[in-house]
Amino acid sequence: MTSGATVWLTGLPSSGKTTIAHELAGRLRREGHRVEVLDGDEIREAVSRDLGFSREDRHTNVVRIGFLAELLARNGVKALVPVIAPYTDSRDAVRLRHEESGTPYLEVHVATPVEVCSVRDVKGLYARQAAGELTGLTGVDDPYEASERPDLRIESQRQSVGESAAWVYALLMERGLV
């Protein structure tokens, strides 16, 4: 059985978190690893539909996702978690849960500038916010507390998706998790 781990990819909307996670997942699966991508939007729809976007609700959502990731990782799955997780205390709570159970946890900050994210605008959120149709957009009119000491910082605007995924893979290898 391969060892499990959680790789939490945090960053602004449209920073590249999910794209990098799926690229990495493909490589890990080809090598025979058990992998799950816990996409923030999918988890919110399936598990946290009862939550809004207040600070408290965002914290609760992150803690729930962290629980699921730790459960998977503790059972030999590589849990790749592309979730904004805008608050340091929420990410710290997830890290602590992993530490307490002895489950490997890596935090990757996909540090793409908001100007680049707003051009990518994968889901049209930045356009909706600019048109006044949306408020509370992380990094624009709602806070995003960037990771001060992530295990890895990726500037996705400076490299390809494959290169970004390779950096995360190299971190997993460095930590003895692949």
Side-chain angles (χ1 to χ4, degrees):
M1 180 169 92
T2 61
S3 65
T6 294
V7 178
W8 196 287
L9 296 103
T10 178
L12 296 174
S14 297
S15 62
K17 302 176 301 297
T18 302
T19 306
I20 294 166
H22 283 289
E23 179 78 15
L24 178 60
R27 178 175 182 177
L28 291 170
R29 285 186 184 113
R30 286 189 299 276
E31 293 181 0
H33 297 275
R34 295 169 52 204
V35 180
E36 289 294 334
V37 176
L38 299 181
D39 179 84
D41 293 333
E42 292 174 5
I43 299 293
R44 185 173 272 280
E45 179 65 25
V47 177
S48 295
R49 192 177 303 175
D50 59 317
L51 299 176
F53 290 90
S54 68
R55 182 180 176 96
E56 297 77 21
D57 283 356
R58 289 176 191 243
H59 177 79
T60 299
N61 186 49
V62 167
V63 169
R64 285 178 183 176
I65 296 169
F67 170 81
L68 293 172
E70 192 277 328
L71 181 67
L72 288 167
R74 180 169 23 111
N75 285 284
V77 175
K78 302 285 189 291
L80 308 181
V81 189
V83 173
I84 295 169
Y87 304 114
T88 301
D89 62 338
S90 301
R91 295 188 306 267
D92 287 349
V94 172
R95 182 182 292 274
L96 179 61
R97 173 179 198 84
H98 282 73
E99 287 173 358
E100 287 175 344
S101 70
T103 306
Y105 175 87
L106 303 172
E107 184 174 300
V108 176
H109 179 204
V110 183
T112 310
V114 68
E115 298 79 18
V116 174
C117 295
S118 66
V119 170
R120 290 179 180 171
D121 204 9
V122 177
K123 299 173 191 158
L125 298 175
Y126 293 93
R128 288 181 52 213
Q129 192 277 335
E133 300 168 8
L134 175 73
T135 59
L137 181 58
T138 301
V140 177
D141 60 352
D142 208 56
Y144 177 78
E145 299 170 357
S147 297
E148 292 183 20
R149 293 182 312 279
D151 296 285
L152 177 65
R153 189 176 317 277
I154 291 175
E155 295 183 7
S156 70
Q157 77 280 10
R158 300 188 191 282
Q159 58 198 30
S160 71
V161 172
E163 289 168 329
S164 294
W167 278 102
V168 181
Y169 184 89
L171 176 63
L172 285 165
M173 186 176 286
E174 174 187 304
R175 302 288 171 91
L177 298 169
V178 290

